[in-house]
Amino acid sequence: MAKRPDATAPELLVEADGGSVVMDPHRTYHVGRDPASEVVLTDARVSWHHAVLRTTDGHWMIEDAHSTNGTYTDGRRVDHCDVGPGSVIRFGSPADGPCAVLSGTPGPRQESGRPSSVPHPSGTHTFRRPSAVRPLPAARTTRIGRAPDNDLVVDDLAVSRRHAELRAGPDGYEIADLGSHNGTYLNGQPVTRALVIPGDIIGIGHSAFVLVGEELQEFIDTGEVSLDVQDLAVTVDRGRRTLLDHVSFPVGEKSLLAVVGPSGAGKSTLLNALTGLRPADEGTVLYDGRDLYRDYAELRRRIGLVPQDDILHTQLTVRRALGYAARLRFPEDTAKAERQARVDEVIRELGLTERAGQAIHSLSGGQRKRVNVALELLTKPSLLFLDEPTSGLDPGMDRSVMHTLRGLADDGRTVIVVTHSVLSLDVCDRLLVLAPGGKIAYYGPPDEALAFFGFAQWPEAFEAFETDIARDWAGQYRASPLHRRCISADSRQPRQAPEAPRGSVAAPKAQSWGGQLRTLVQRYAAALSADRTFLIVMVALPFVMGAMTRALAGSALTRDTAPQTLLILCVGAVLTGAANAVRELVKERTIYQRERAVGLSRSAYVMSKVLVLGTVTVVQAVVLTTVGLFGVDVNSPGGKGLLVPSLAEITLAVALLAFTAMMLGLFVSALVRKEEVTMPLLVLLAIVQVVFCGVQLKLHGVAGLEQLSWLVPSRWALAAMAGTVDLHRIVPGDVTADPLFQHRPVVWLLDMGLLIVLSALFGFLVTRLLRRHEPEIMRK
């Protein structure tokens, strides 16, 4: 039996085969050609399992594992030997065998270039060694950015052309952001101006800079990052129900991990915790040695997430949809040619060149999924998460998608897939099986999972999760050699206490508010114009409703026709405006959630809907009123309106009512959770407008009904039209004696003003309701 590791032994840094590993005294390290070893040596003279490094009695020891060609220190072969900082070990030959050099790990504030917020840099890929070392001239400013005329050029589309300056001063160096769109970060937090001390990490795009004396060391996140998940726990109902139960596992560089488990096992909860959208209540996620929750403001842009539903407007072509996404995600000063080059690059990478000009909705399920992946790859994320990417696909497409993900991982990314499908688990490096209650039932090679559970087929295993409640799935795995090999021995970073602030994180904005609005308006207009069904309905509806109005009105508004004519104008305006908007937010909810997470402005998004739909709605209202009343004697006093010609006043009232109904439709669309319920609600809205417009029953002076009618847009619009034509003069009676129907300019302006107030109220409620559907970490 191996001796228990001794925590009093020092940490060691092992440099071998061009790589380095920080050795934790709490762990045992295997050396050999086995890819599962902690220190992998590819030389043929090295045995598959060659040697073991462990601690005992406060010091490190190397033990030969009965290797063929031996283990050597100081030129002599050893079976076991004490080692420490300064030791040189050779494997397979005492003269020229592969060499491991041991050294002590430097403290966090030594002038070594090792960042202070990464406890064990050599256990990462990014901070293992600097990509470049740049001398800093004394008493001058170093400007950093993408443009060639900067002192330090960073070739990264996430970086603005003139991004930041590192300024030398009497108190040392300070970093100053130059109004960049994606932000400048110091130790993971956004800054506009801050002092920099040795060991601090300056984050700009995919690069990190560390000050070392009079030098600036650059570390580039190339995508080959590891993920260490440590003791994640999530509870709800005030701790009475557990969704994740202290989940821990490592994910290596360029790995493909599949997460499976029965419904309710916590897969979605784990996905939200790993992406930072809903941080775990307890535990830590280490992104290549950095605390993801603490540094989330900076690291979020390096995480790609492909939900189960489409995150693109499927009416658009592949290239056009990706082009709009690139405009939203890249800095505003990025040239069109630069954006298009990146779009073309991901199209080629995902094998979509022949489909680039095709509408997304016409693609097969597997091709649509690749388009969604292409969107996330635009910003070159290092971590790519996918939620049920093969849902609804046939076995052939399932296999194709999984092989695509395998290729993405091999190209230098860490890919994590949450799935119900078990058809293509063999292409994954690791498999995580969650049992009910959010516990790890298995983590390791996919081909060993069924044998571990003792079943021949996956359906049997999933059935057992539901029926064999008494079985301690998590306990059996923790006691197994697989846990020691795949979790305990494979984790590169030691356990550390979470440092993450749990407050909200503001979204970085790659574009200014106005720039986002322009892009969103153009994209939404393009999507609507590509929707033939919407265009047909949009054009036909006002003409149909206008023709009905004209048939009812006849040649003039009389005692018999005036109330019904004004009523049908109200109904037509309400149906036109509300029908345009009632589905628009709920059907784009997945798109909004993902874009909001990467910097979309909530108010710019709402305003884009208001501008495009508002323009369409107002034009429809004008057509409706013109077709219905052009050439009709509206019988207004003196043939004139109160402030402008009577037909113009009626048209303004109908247009403003349609606009307000459109805002009401957006409110309903933001309120509901499913698109299917919007049409019944649209019918209900139309009925309410008819009942409470004020021409069907008396509202003035009726307690309760009158106050309720104030919230109904048709109440004010019909009152404005009734005031224009002086409806009480045409149709005397208690109903038309309503004070809001008076033929007075001040009353007409009050009626119109209340429609504007209702529009603003509905707009405010829409923005508040959208907040419910945003990532939890961003809610402010």
Side-chain angles (χ1 to χ4, degrees):
M1 180 181 296
K3 294 184 179 180
R4 184 175 180 177
D6 190 341
T8 62
E11 291 180 342
L12 285 181
L13 178 64
V14 179
E15 303 282 348
D17 257 15
S20 59
V21 176
V22 173
M23 295 170 52
D24 183 353
H26 293 85
R27 293 176 46 196
T28 298
Y29 294 82
H30 299 82
V31 182
R33 286 190 292 111
D34 183 358
S37 299
E38 287 76 24
V39 180
V40 180
L41 303 176
T42 57
D43 193 287
R45 294 170 291 181
V46 176
S47 297
W48 190 256
H49 300 293
H50 196 105
V52 176
L53 275 162
R54 59 164 56 93
T55 59
T56 180
D57 298 330
H59 60 268
W60 285 92
M61 173 180 289
I62 182 77
E63 294 181 0
D64 188 79
H66 306 293
S67 64
T68 302
N69 296 319
T71 302
Y72 301 86
T73 64
D74 297 327
R76 61 186 179 87
R77 184 166 182 165
V78 295
D79 292 325
H80 61 274
C81 179
D82 291 344
V83 293
S87 296
V88 177
I89 308 170
R90 290 196 177 271
F91 304 93
S93 169
D96 59 353
C99 176
V101 180
L102 309 186
S103 60
T105 56
R109 285 290 179 180
Q110 290 180 5
E111 294 277 309
S112 60
R114 299 190 181 277
S116 58
S117 59
V118 182
H120 298 280
S122 295
T124 73
H125 185 276
T126 303
F127 296 101
R128 194 171 297 168
R129 59 177 58 85
S131 307
V133 178
R134 307 172 186 272
L136 292 175
R140 64 161 288 196
T141 296
T142 301
R143 192 174 64 200
I144 306 171
R146 197 177 76 251
D149 60 348
N150 288 286
D151 303 302
L152 200 163
V153 179
V154 181
D155 186 15
D156 182 353
L157 288 183
V159 177
S160 297
R161 294 183 63 82
R162 288 168 178 80
H163 196 106
E165 288 181 347
L166 186 64
R167 300 166 179 169
D171 298 326
Y173 287 94
E174 71 171 12
I175 187 70
D177 186 78
L178 299 180
S180 66
H181 291 288
N182 285 333
T184 301
Y185 300 86
L186 185 66
N187 297 323
Q189 303 305 310
V191 295
T192 54
R193 185 172 177 177
L195 286 174
V196 181
I197 60 177
D200 284 345
I201 297 178
I202 302 170
I204 295 178
H206 288 80
S207 296
F209 300 92
V210 179
L211 187 64
V212 184
E214 297 301 318
E215 294 180 339
L216 194 64
Q217 295 189 359
E218 181 179 10
F219 301 85
I220 299 178
D221 184 344
T222 60
E224 297 183 29
V225 300
S226 61
L227 196 70
D228 275 270
V229 181
Q230 301 180 352
D231 294 320
L232 294 189
V234 176
T235 59
V236 293
D237 299 334
R238 297 183 179 180
R240 290 191 294 267
R241 189 159 68 96
T242 299
L243 301 183
L244 280 184
D245 191 356
H246 296 90
V247 170
S248 300
F249 59 89
V251 186
E253 302 157 9
K254 303 172 66 172
S255 292
L256 175 57
L257 166 67
V259 182
V260 301
S263 297
K267 299 187 297 297
S268 297
T269 303
L270 177 63
L271 185 68
N272 288 332
L274 295 182
T275 56
L277 297 181
R278 197 289 188 190
D281 301 321
E282 299 177 29
T284 306
V285 178
L286 294 180
Y287 173 105
D288 214 29
R290 299 178 67 181
D291 188 321
L292 175 64
Y293 296 163
R294 182 195 61 207
D295 298 351
Y296 185 70
E298 176 187 352
L299 298 179
R300 67 191 306 162
R301 302 190 63 85
R302 306 184 199 176
I303 298 175
L305 173 61
V306 181
Q308 186 172 346
D309 298 325
D310 288 316
I311 49 177
L312 289 162
H313 290 80
T314 57
Q315 307 96 318
L316 301 177
T317 64
V318 172
R319 177 172 280 111
R320 197 171 189 184
L322 293 177
Y324 283 122
R327 287 175 60 179
L328 287 173
R329 297 196 179 196
F330 289 139
E332 199 164 7
D333 59 9
T334 305
K336 181 179 180 180
E338 292 178 295
R339 292 196 306 267
Q340 196 57 53
R342 181 57 189 156
V343 169
D344 292 339
E345 185 179 350
V346 297
I347 286 176
R348 288 193 301 271
E349 185 175 3
L350 273 300
L352 294 166
T353 303
E354 295 182 358
R355 307 291 182 184
Q358 191 171 335
I360 297 173
H361 68 78
S362 66
L363 300 175
S364 67
Q367 291 166 344
R368 285 174 65 164
K369 188 57 63 177
R370 290 210 299 269
V371 175
N372 285 275
V373 173
L375 167 61
E376 290 302 306
L377 294 186
L378 284 172
T379 53
K380 297 184 178 181
S382 302
L383 287 177
L384 182 62
F385 295 87
L386 300 99
D387 188 9
E388 300 289 352
T390 60
S391 177
L393 302 183
D394 61 59
M397 283 293 182
D398 182 303
R399 189 77 175 168
S400 175
V401 169
M402 291 301 291
H403 275 282
T404 298
L405 301 182
R406 173 73 266 171
L408 293 177
D410 292 338
D411 287 342
R413 302 175 187 87
T414 300
V415 183
I416 299 178
V417 183
V418 174
T419 180
H420 279 101
S421 174
V422 294
L423 297 177
S424 302
L425 296 180
D426 58 300
V427 305
C428 301
D429 299 294
R430 286 288 186 264
L431 172 65
L432 171 64
V433 182
L434 290 177
K439 301 177 180 179
I440 293 183
Y442 177 85
Y443 183 80
D447 56 356
E448 299 180 28
L450 281 175
F452 174 80
F453 292 128
F455 297 106
Q457 302 292 333
W458 276 108
E460 299 173 356
F462 278 88
E463 184 180 8
F465 285 133
E466 301 292 341
T467 59
D468 195 354
I469 302 176
R471 184 172 174 179
D472 185 5
W473 301 95
Q476 291 178 5
Y477 178 71
R478 283 195 302 269
S480 70
L482 273 168
H483 182 276
R484 292 190 292 272
R485 173 162 61 95
C486 298
I487 293 184
S488 300
D490 213 26
S491 298
R492 298 188 177 187
Q493 297 288 330
R495 301 281 172 169
Q496 63 181 72
E499 305 175 33
R502 301 300 185 186
S504 62
V505 176
K509 295 179 176 60
Q511 286 189 315
S512 64
W513 189 90
Q516 283 196 6
L517 180 62
R518 285 192 297 273
T519 300
L520 291 169
V521 166
Q522 292 171 11
R523 183 182 68 177
Y524 188 43
L528 290 182
S529 62
D531 187 340
R532 294 183 180 179
T533 302
F534 177 83
L535 288 176
I536 293 172
V537 173
M538 180 184 69
V539 173
L541 185 60
F543 282 99
V544 172
M545 297 299 296
M548 293 172 60
T549 304
R550 182 58 180 263
L552 187 62
S555 59
L557 297 185
T558 64
R559 179 185 181 91
D560 295 327
T561 63
Q564 288 73 26
T565 299
L566 299 185
L567 175 62
I568 200 166
L569 282 174
C570 284
V571 172
V574 168
L575 284 177
T576 299
N580 286 344
V582 77
R583 294 169 54 248
E584 294 307 296
L585 297 183
V586 66
K587 76 178 183 181
E588 288 187 5
R589 186 152 295 159
T590 303
I591 298 175
Y592 172 75
Q593 288 173 333
R594 184 62 195 133
E595 292 187 338
R596 177 70 176 144
V598 296
L600 179 68
S601 165
R602 184 194 311 153
S603 58
Y605 176 75
V606 173
M607 186 57 68
S608 70
K609 300 296 183 187
V610 172
L611 290 177
V612 175
L613 291 176
T615 300
V616 170
T617 299
V618 168
V619 171
Q620 288 176 305
V622 172
V623 172
L624 163 64
T625 312
T626 303
V627 172
L629 294 182
F630 186 75
V632 175
D633 181 6
V634 298
N635 200 10
S636 59
K640 299 179 181 179
L642 291 163
L643 300 174
V644 294
S646 54
L647 181 59
E649 280 189 3
I650 294 175
T651 301
L652 284 173
V654 173
L656 190 50
L657 172 60
F659 182 88
T660 307
M662 182 269 296
M663 296 299 296
L664 178 58
L666 287 178
F667 166 71
V668 172
S669 192
L671 180 66
V672 301
R673 296 188 179 274
K674 295 183 179 180
E675 189 176 344
E676 293 80 9
V677 304
T678 56
M679 288 302 106
L681 287 176
L682 178 62
V683 175
L684 178 62
L685 286 177
I687 294 173
V688 170
Q689 305 302 316
V690 172
V691 173
F692 288 95
C693 66
V695 79
Q696 295 295 308
L697 73 162
K698 181 181 178 181
L699 296 175
H700 175 63
V702 181
L705 286 182
E706 181 179 18
Q707 289 73 31
L708 185 60
S709 71
W710 294 344
L711 298 175
V712 179
S714 63
R715 167 78 163 129
W716 304 101
L718 193 139
M721 290 187 286
T724 294
V725 302
D726 195 2
L727 187 62
H728 184 61
R729 175 182 56 85
I730 300 174
V731 187
D734 290 342
V735 173
T736 58
D738 195 318
L740 296 178
F741 289 7
Q742 293 179 39
H743 183 70
R744 296 171 53 200
V746 65
V747 176
W748 186 85
L749 290 173
L750 173 66
D751 295 333
M752 298 292 282
L754 264 296
L755 282 174
I756 296 174
V757 170
L758 284 177
S759 294
L761 174 63
F762 293 142
F764 171 76
L765 293 176
V766 167
T767 60
R768 299 304 297 172
L769 287 171
L770 281 177
R771 179 181 176 275
R772 299 186 311 163
H773 306 295
E774 296 173 0
E776 182 175 321
I777 198 170
M778 296 178 59
R779 297 176 188 171
K780 294 186 292 182

